[in-house]
């Protein structure tokens, strides 16, 4: 039975029903009790587990075991096995007592499959995530359909742990290294999952079967296991040096990705260490391991970081799919050809993305044939690499390569509906590019700019058709980062804007509408942050103290590591654009100017002693004698971000604070556990200290 408190918390639960039926297997005397998990909706609403759903599974298992079957098997509705706990309900858990009950209830139901004297099987017929993966791990044997798109344990990305057996079972079924991959590494790499072949290789599932008649094949395979004709291989678990090595890898990942500021991964490390002593064949040992998971889940469900993580999850999975301010999609024009101006690395990456996703002709141009040939060659080589990895067939690769061409003749762009420039970040250069193109293209062809900070309105001002110019700001690497900042110029019309949003969707990017103000969202905030860190160094703060101080902000890398990735010259140029617009808040760093003048690639150098300040940088960077502590650097940076976000919202750069957070999460991998940034600024009291109020209402991204 469940308490009224837990059912009240999950009042909006989409209840999963579990149907039990006895199934005969040809050539096998006994019958299998097949339990099917189904929430009554199609595959677009995946099956989840709340208290009423868990009670239904418990009742279905009662029925299954009462039938005295030869085996019990669990499967899902078409295309979906199960995707875990009801996250909407998780955000409503009112107390630690109720949170503890959530963990205990899942263990109570699922462990019946692990401790059954009758063999149990999971027939993983589709997506299996979180608690869905865990119910499978509780079973003695597992098959998976070849078309199952994703298997994973994403909890630590959200600020949780796999709390229904995942940490204790997986390490003891597939080994600690596989557990680290699934519990720590993949979730902290943007929620990466594994496919069926990878799951078999990792030892998570026993058998990969064709999807066409998956249940029938799984039943036949189960019958062979029951008859003793098949004995699935199980790895020998190394509880000594192998476990140490796996945990060492996990700790390095957690430190590198979160610097210890995300509580979920830290608790997961503790649970994986405990799993070393867990005997999954012994009920008393499982009691200890599962009780530890319950306690971790109770703590984490009542942590602000989880609520921020759930807020971030909602932004990425809902708000990103319905961009605020986007015009009616019916206004969008069809894209049948794409032009790319520039053939450098960024332009070549864009050409590759457009041809792969839109499958339309793509023409590159640049200032000379050598550059064009290099750009086209890059795209062709990347397509060949994809084919070599089995991600494209040879025929598909050849078709894509045939769509990519280059030309110095701008008249080749007359059949392009969408032209994007990715040339040097200079207003005069970009204006000339568009002016040279305009006579050769149709009046309705869109001119998009990949500028990271320059004015769209100014870029379009001298054109005959300024209404078709739009900002289309990608993030590097283009293939990895999902954000697209779409910038509306002063005269950009709705048809252009609608086409930009439709194209972003076709490119599988998440678009956020931004006003035409310097730096837009991501670069403006990151430049302000970097500026505060560099100012602290200019004043006399040691490089390592300033760089390490802001880890709590949830940036995926430290400011000076990011500086090296972006390039000091580009950072300086962006900073100068913002300084011209907002001189009271964006100031020049003499140290950065000296770095660029000396053509140094960054602050750090790497050698036997690891990361250290480049001695030449230390020599050329002028510093004062006013050193700040790490706490002071963090405080000033938080306050600067809170101020800048308030001003951006007042200026209407985006529709709401949620869009600021979405840009930071998707454009730069800011931590889910901070919900991007505004929940963190609210949580630390910075928002109220600087602006007199929170960005988000209490309870939206915190416990409340």
């Amino acid at each position: 039975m469940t308490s009224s408190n837990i059912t009240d918390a999950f009042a909006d639960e989409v209840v999963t029903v579990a149907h039990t039926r006895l199934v005969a297997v040809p050539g096998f005397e006994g019958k299998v009790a097949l339990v099917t998990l189904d929430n009554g909706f199609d595959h677009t609403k995946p099956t989840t587990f709340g208290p009423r759903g868990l009670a239904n599974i418990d009742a279905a298992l009662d029925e299954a075991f009462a039938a005295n079957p030869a085996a019990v098997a669990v499967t899902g509705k078409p295309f979906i096995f199960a995707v875990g706990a009801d996250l909407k309900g998780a955000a409503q858990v009112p107390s630690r007592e109720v949170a503890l009950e959530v963990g205990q209830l899942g263990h109570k139901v699922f462990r019946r499959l692990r401790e059954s004297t009758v063999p149990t099987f999971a027939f993983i017929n589709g997506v299996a995530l979180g608690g869905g993966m865990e119910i499978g791990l509780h079973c003695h044997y597992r098959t998976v359909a070849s078309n199952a798109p994703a298997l994973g344990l994403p909890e630590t990305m959200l600020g949780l742990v796999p709390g229904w057996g995942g940490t204790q079972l997986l390490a003891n079924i597939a080994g600690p290294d596989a557990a680290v991959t699934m519990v720590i590494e993949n979730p902290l790499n943007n929620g990466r999952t594994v496919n069926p072949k990878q799951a078999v290789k990792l030892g998570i599932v026993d058998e990969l079967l064709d999807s066409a008649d998956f249940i029938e094949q799984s039943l036949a395979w189960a019958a062979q296991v029951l008859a003793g004709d098949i004995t699935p291989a199980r790895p020998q678990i190394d509880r000594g040096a192998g476990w140490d090595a796996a945990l060492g890898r996990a700790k390095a990942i957690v430190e590198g990705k979160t610097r210890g500021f995300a509580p979920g991964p830290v608790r997961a490390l503790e649970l994986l260490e405990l799993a070393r002593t867990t005997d999954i064949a012994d009920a008393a040992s499982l009691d200890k391991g599962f009780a530890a998971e319950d306690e971790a889940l109770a703590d984490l469900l009542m942590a602000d970081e989880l609520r921020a993580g759930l807020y971030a999850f909602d932004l990425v999975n809902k708000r990103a799919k319905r961009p605020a301010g986007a015009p009616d999609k019916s206004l969008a024009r069809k894209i049948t050809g794409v032009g790319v101006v520039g053939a450098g690395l960024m332009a070549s990456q864009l050409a590759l993305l457009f041809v792969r996703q839109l499958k339309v002709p793509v023409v590159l141009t640049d200032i000379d044939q050598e550059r064009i040939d290099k750009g086209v060659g890059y795209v062709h080589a990347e397509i060949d690499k994809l084919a070599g990895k089995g991600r494209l067939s040879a025929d598909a690769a050849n078709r894509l390569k045939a769509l990519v061409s280059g030309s110095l003749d701008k008249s080749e762009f007359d059949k392009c509906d969408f032209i994007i420039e990715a040339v040097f970040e200079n207003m005069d250069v970009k204006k000339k590019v568009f002016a040279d193109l305009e006579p050769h293209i149709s009046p309705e062809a869109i001119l998009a700019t990949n500028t990271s900070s320059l004015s769209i309105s100014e870029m379009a001002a001298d054109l005959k058709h300024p209404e078709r110019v739009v900002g289309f700001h990608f993030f590097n690497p283009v293939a990895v980062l999902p954000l697209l900042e779409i910038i509306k110029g002063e005269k950009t019309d709705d048809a252009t804007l609608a086409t930009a949003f439709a194209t972003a969707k076709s490119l599988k990017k998440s678009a956020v509408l931004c006003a035409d103000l310097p730096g837009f969202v991501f670069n403006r905030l990151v430049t302000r942050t970097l500026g505060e860190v560099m100012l602290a160094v200019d004043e006399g703060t040691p490089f390592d103290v300033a760089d390490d101080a802001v880890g709590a902000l949830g940036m995926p890398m430290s400011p000076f590591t990011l500086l090296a990735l972006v390039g000091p010259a580009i950072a300086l140029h962006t900073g100068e654009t913002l300084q011209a617009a907002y001189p009271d808040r964006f100031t020049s760093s003499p140290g950065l100017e000296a770095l660029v003048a000396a053509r140094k690639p960054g602050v750090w150098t790497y050698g036997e002693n690891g990361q250290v300040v480049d001695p030449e940088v230390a020599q050329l960077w002028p510093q004062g004698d006013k050193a700040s502590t790490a706490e002071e650097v963090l405080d000033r940076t938080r306050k600067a971000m809170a101020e800048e976000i308030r001003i951006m919202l007042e200026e209407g750069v985006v529709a709401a604070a949620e869009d600021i957070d979405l840009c930071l999460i998707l454009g730069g991998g800011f931590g889910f556990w901070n919900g991007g940034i505004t929940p963190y600024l609210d949580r630390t009291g910075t928002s109220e200290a600087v602006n007199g109020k929170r960005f988000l209402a209490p309870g939206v991204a915190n416990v409340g």
Side-chain angles (χ1 to χ4, degrees), residues 113-174:
L113 293 160
R114 167 71 28 200
E115 296 175 349
S116 167
T117 55
V118 174
T120 57
F121 295 80
F123 298 160
I124 302 172
N125 63 305
V127 177
L129 300 173
M133 193 72 247
E134 287 175 298
I135 195 173
L137 292 171
H138 276 273
C139 294
H140 302 144
Y141 307 98
R142 287 159 292 282
T143 62
V144 65
S146 59
N147 68 339
L151 290 81
L153 293 167
E155 287 86 349
T156 54
M157 178 184 74
L158 297 175
L160 282 172
V161 294
W164 284 340
T167 66
Q168 302 305 292
L169 297 177
L170 182 55
N172 284 290
I173 291 170

Side-chain angles (χ1 to χ4, degrees), residues 530 534 538 563 567-569 571-573 575 579 588-598 620-622:
L530 183 58
M534 288 191 297
D538 292 338
L563 178 66
L572 179 62
H573 178 77
Q579 288 158 28
S588 178
S589 165
L592 179 60
E593 291 174 356
L595 199 70
V596 173
L620 62 84
W621 193 299

Side-chain angles (χ1 to χ4, degrees), residues 31-377:
K31 290 190 176 182
V32 175
L34 184 64
V35 178
T36 302
L37 310 174
D38 191 346
N39 63 1
F41 293 87
D42 66 16
H43 67 280
T44 61
K45 189 181 280 290
T47 302
T48 56
F49 301 135
R52 285 180 283 271
L54 289 170
N56 286 340
I57 296 170
D58 203 23
L61 292 177
D62 283 341
E63 183 181 349
F65 288 124
N68 294 316
V72 173
V74 179
T75 194
K77 67 183 184 181
F79 310 112
I80 303 289
F81 185 65
V83 298
D86 179 347
L87 293 179
K88 187 175 181 181
Q92 305 302 318
V93 172
S95 67
R96 192 181 187 282
E97 180 184 20
V98 174
L100 187 64
E101 191 177 349
V102 171
Q104 292 170 337
L105 181 59
H107 279 128
K108 171 183 174 290
V109 175
F110 290 178
R111 72 184 296 171
R112 295 183 67 187
L113 293 160
R114 167 71 28 200
E115 296 175 349
S116 167
T117 55
V118 174
T120 57
F121 295 80
F123 298 160
I124 302 172
N125 63 305
V127 177
L129 300 173
M133 193 72 247
E134 287 175 298
I135 195 173
L137 292 171
H138 276 273
C139 294
H140 302 144
Y141 307 98
R142 287 159 292 282
T143 62
V144 65
S146 59
N147 68 339
L151 290 81
L153 293 167
E155 287 86 349
T156 54
M157 178 184 74
L158 297 175
L160 282 172
V161 294
W164 284 340
T167 66
Q168 302 305 292
L169 297 177
L170 182 55
N172 284 290
I173 291 170
D177 205 56
V180 167
T181 296
M182 296 293 288
V183 175
I184 301 288
E185 182 178 18
N186 284 356
L188 295 185
N189 277 291
N190 300 316
R192 184 187 297 162
T193 57
V194 298
N195 61 38
K197 287 183 179 179
Q198 292 168 326
V200 172
K201 186 176 181 180
L202 285 169
I204 300 167
V205 295
D206 299 308
E207 189 73 12
L208 173 65
L209 298 171
D210 188 70
S211 59
D213 52 354
F214 173 69
I215 297 298
E216 290 77 7
Q217 288 186 71
S218 292
L219 288 166
W221 183 84
Q224 289 180 284
V225 171
L226 295 171
D229 297 332
I230 292 177
T231 303
R234 294 284 188 266
Q236 187 70 34
I237 306 297
D238 181 353
R239 299 183 186 277
W243 208 289
D244 290 339
L247 281 180
R249 184 168 75 89
K251 289 173 183 174
I253 294 168
V254 171
E255 177 60 27
K257 293 288 185 179
T258 76
R259 302 188 210 177
F261 288 106
V266 172
R267 292 299 289 269
L269 282 173
E270 296 171 2
L271 291 166
L272 289 175
E273 174 59 57
L274 176 64
R276 190 198 300 248
T277 63
T278 299
D279 180 354
I280 61 175
D282 176 65
S285 182
L286 284 178
D287 286 343
K288 181 180 178 182
F290 291 170
E293 287 185 337
D294 292 337
E295 294 295 329
L297 207 58
D299 289 339
L300 294 169
L301 279 169
M302 298 311 298
D304 283 337
E305 289 86 352
L306 169 66
R307 307 303 171 97
L310 294 174
Y311 160 84
F313 184 81
D314 197 56
L315 292 182
V316 169
N317 288 281
K318 293 182 180 178
R319 190 176 183 90
K321 294 175 182 175
R322 295 187 291 275
D328 190 321
K329 60 184 179 182
S330 67
L331 297 174
R333 302 188 187 108
K334 187 176 181 180
I335 302 299
T336 60
V338 172
V340 180
V341 183
L345 181 58
M346 188 66 178
S348 299
Q349 289 184 72
L350 294 178
L352 177 65
L353 177 69
F354 276 94
V355 76
R356 283 196 68 199
Q357 301 300 339
L358 302 189
K359 297 177 176 58
V360 299
V362 174
V363 182
L364 291 91
T365 193
D366 209 311
I367 59 175
D368 59 49
Q369 191 64 44
E370 183 180 355
R371 286 180 171 85
I372 292 171
D373 292 343
K374 185 177 180 181
V376 173

Side-chain angles (χ1 to χ4, degrees), residues 543-697:
F543 288 91
D544 57 346
V545 172
D547 198 37
D548 292 341
V550 296
L553 298 178
M555 296 171 67
M557 61 187 72
S558 72
F560 285 139
T561 303
L562 179 62
L563 178 66
L565 179 68
V566 171
I570 293 174
L572 179 62
H573 178 77
T574 302
E576 288 170 343
T577 301
L578 286 159
Q579 288 158 28
Y582 309 109
D584 57 325
R585 301 190 309 281
F586 291 84
T587 57
S588 178
S589 165
L592 179 60
E593 291 174 356
L595 199 70
V596 173
R599 298 180 180 273
K600 300 296 292 185
V603 167
W604 306 118
T605 187
Y606 301 88
E608 293 180 1
N609 297 323
Q611 175 182 286
V612 295
V613 179
D614 183 333
E616 293 181 17
V617 172
Q619 188 72 30
L620 62 84
W621 193 299
Q623 285 191 277
D625 56 6
K626 184 187 173 185
S628 297
T629 65
E631 291 77 14
E632 288 169 337
V633 175
L634 176 59
D635 183 60
R636 74 190 287 170
T637 306
R638 283 194 301 226
K639 287 177 177 176
M641 292 193 84
E643 178 188 43
E644 201 62 37
I645 292 169
R646 172 183 58 79
I647 293 169
M648 291 168 72
L649 293 174
E650 289 172 352
E651 291 177 339
V653 174
V654 289
E658 288 87 342
D659 296 310
I660 298 277
D661 293 320
L662 194 57
C663 285
L664 294 186
I665 292 165
L666 296 179
F670 272 60
F672 264 51
W673 62 91
N674 280 346
I677 195 63
T678 66
Y680 169 77
L681 296 174
D682 287 348
R683 182 170 80 235
T684 57
T686 309
S687 305
E688 289 182 276
V690 174
N691 303 322
K693 62 180 180 179
R694 300 167 60 95
F695 287 111
L696 303 172

